[in-house]
Amino acid sequence: QVQLVESGGGLVQAGGSLRLSCAASGRTVSTYGLGWFRQAPGKEREFVAAMSWSGGNTYYADSVKGRFTISRDNAKNTVYLQMNSLKPEDTAVYYCAADRDGGASMKAENYEYWGQGTKVTVSS
């Protein structure tokens, strides 16, 4: 069983930066695919970024390309989401997820483990 805990959310101004962290416990996730999703009020959960277990494959939603970067530190059993040039439309609850199959997937249904979410609010 894997537990995921996000941190780093908060209130930032448009144009600012924020780094989200997701610490895994219970088992190593070095062989898991890891992803980030977000959900804004009144909207469906949407894919943000994902990285395969090896780090060799990544995928980003078009809306965040060039602004967000996913990374992982297997020694710390942690995945990060660096968010730059934040926009008000980035406001959402952000969730990290782990896929034991190891791939970088943009589909939420491929992930078995989810964090509780961390709220990001970007003011204009």
Side-chain angles (χ1 to χ4, degrees):
Q1 190 68 231
V2 174
Q3 296 81 45
L4 303 173
V5 179
E6 301 96 335
S7 62
L11 175 64
V12 298
Q13 293 184 329
S17 297
L18 202 62
R19 188 172 84 154
L20 305 183
S21 299
C22 176
S25 62
R27 292 174 179 161
T28 178
V29 294
S30 60
T31 60
Y32 287 51
L34 299 173
W36 288 94
F37 294 77
R38 67 187 183 187
Q39 188 167 20
K43 298 183 66 177
E44 295 182 353
R45 186 180 303 182
E46 66 176 351
F47 170 78
V48 176
M51 176 174 283
S52 63
W53 71 272
S54 67
N57 292 316
T58 59
Y59 187 82
Y60 295 94
D62 288 341
S63 60
V64 307
K65 283 183 178 178
R67 300 189 298 120
F68 290 12
T69 303
I70 187 172
S71 62
R72 63 193 296 165
D73 186 340
N74 286 335
K76 296 181 178 180
N77 219 27
T78 299
V79 61
Y80 305 95
L81 185 68
Q82 178 67 46
M83 304 185 295
N84 298 326
S85 301
L86 283 162
K87 305 174 181 179
E89 51 262 46
D90 295 318
T91 295
V93 176
Y94 284 72
Y95 300 89
C96 67
D99 175 11
R100 63 191 177 194
D101 290 335
S105 177
M106 67 179 187
K107 298 180 178 180
E109 57 264 35
N110 287 344
Y111 294 86
E112 290 78 34
Y113 306 102
W114 292 82
Q116 82 291 342
T118 186
K119 189 174 184 178
V120 172
T121 302
V122 184
S123 62
S124 60

